[in-house]
Amino acid sequence: MGLFIVFEGVEGSGKSTQSRELYRRLQKAELEAVLIREPGGTPTAEYVRDWLIGGHDISPLTELLLFSATRASLVESVIRPALSKGEIVVCDRYIYSTLAYQGYGRGMDMGAIDNLNGIATGGLEPELVVLLDLPPDIGFQRKRGGDPNDRFEREDLAFHQRVHEGYNALAANDPKRWLVLDASLPMESLASAIWDRVLEIQAER
Ligand code: TYD
């Protein structure tokens, strides 16, 4: 069985940079690895992604179901097959984004989200969740105000603060699985801390 690693955090927290860096290190160490992002990673999910991020007239329920649908497609066609070949899967966002954004951010029912997450993934959870913790106002400054066509970046600061608090609550509930790092640290120290934890998990298996 492979190893499943997920990156989470608010906009501008550096998840994409750190997930790419981890993937680079895994390749350098000659470990078979796959790098994916949510929503996306399959042709269907990439198609829906554009609409989910930039579309109009999407209600919170439609949004929740679309994230679940793209996740189901990614788990079935990419994540499970890679894990069963013994590969390491690095995924930029996963079920915790739905709990943080649709649950804490939009205020949708957490129990319903938990159920949908379970259905979409067949209960597949990662061995490690790296949370790049950053106050959302700093994240926005990094993104220089954000993309006006991105439905999430257009949300107000209060929304992103709820998302941020949500992430911290999720991490506090499951401290063994979550590695919480201060995203304002230099890129290289973050990458080393993540790498050390991955090696530690590999050594324990
Ligand atoms: P993306 O451009 O990939 O943002 P980032 O670089 O910050 O990851 O857009 C993904 C957006 O979708 C992001 O704003 C968070 C949101 N999202 C949810 O609201 N729920 C989810 O379940 C997922 C996977 C993403």
Side-chain angles (χ1 to χ4, degrees), residues 131-160:
L131 174 61
L132 293 169
D133 182 32
L134 192 73
D137 48 328
I138 313 271
F140 272 114
Q141 280 169 25
R142 284 186 177 182
K143 285 210 154 183
R144 293 192 194 86
D147 175 356
N149 297 317
D150 182 317
R151 296 172 51 249
F152 296 95
E153 294 185 15
R154 277 202 318 259
E155 289 291 339
D156 61 11
L157 189 60
F159 172 87
H160 291 283

Side-chain angles (χ1 to χ4, degrees), residues 8-13 15-16 37-39 49 52-53 63 67-68 70-71 92-99 101-102 106 117 143 150-153 159-160 167:
E8 294 282 359
V10 298
E11 328 289 311
S13 59
K15 288 176 298 83
S16 310
R37 65 170 180 185
E38 271 213 23
R49 173 189 170 86
L52 253 175
I53 293 174
E63 178 182 281
F67 277 119
S68 305
T70 57
R71 179 165 302 130
D92 183 347
R93 298 196 180 279
Y94 191 54
I95 49 175
Y96 314 101
S97 283
T98 313
L99 289 164
Y101 282 78
Q102 280 64 51
R106 299 238 191 270
N117 278 344
K143 285 210 154 183
D150 182 317
R151 296 172 51 249
F152 296 95
E153 294 185 15
F159 172 87
H160 291 283
Y167 272 133

Side-chain angles (χ1 to χ4, degrees), residues 37-81:
R37 65 170 180 185
E38 271 213 23
T42 67
T44 310
E46 288 293 334
Y47 185 77
V48 177
R49 173 189 170 86
D50 288 345
W51 197 60
L52 253 175
I53 293 174
H56 301 283
D57 71 23
I58 300 176
S59 74
L61 178 61
T62 305
E63 178 182 281
L64 171 62
L65 294 172
L66 283 176
F67 277 119
S68 305
T70 57
R71 179 165 302 130
S73 135
L74 183 66
V75 170
E76 275 168 11
S77 347
V78 181
I79 301 181
R80 283 198 189 273

Side-chain angles (χ1 to χ4, degrees), residues 21-33 88 195 198-199 202:
E21 174 60 17
L22 174 60
Y23 178 66
R24 194 192 64 78
R25 288 182 185 224
L26 291 168
Q27 283 189 312
K28 211 171 149 211
E30 294 183 352
L31 293 162
E32 288 293 328
I88 301 180
W195 184 240
V198 170
L199 293 182
Q202 286 282 66

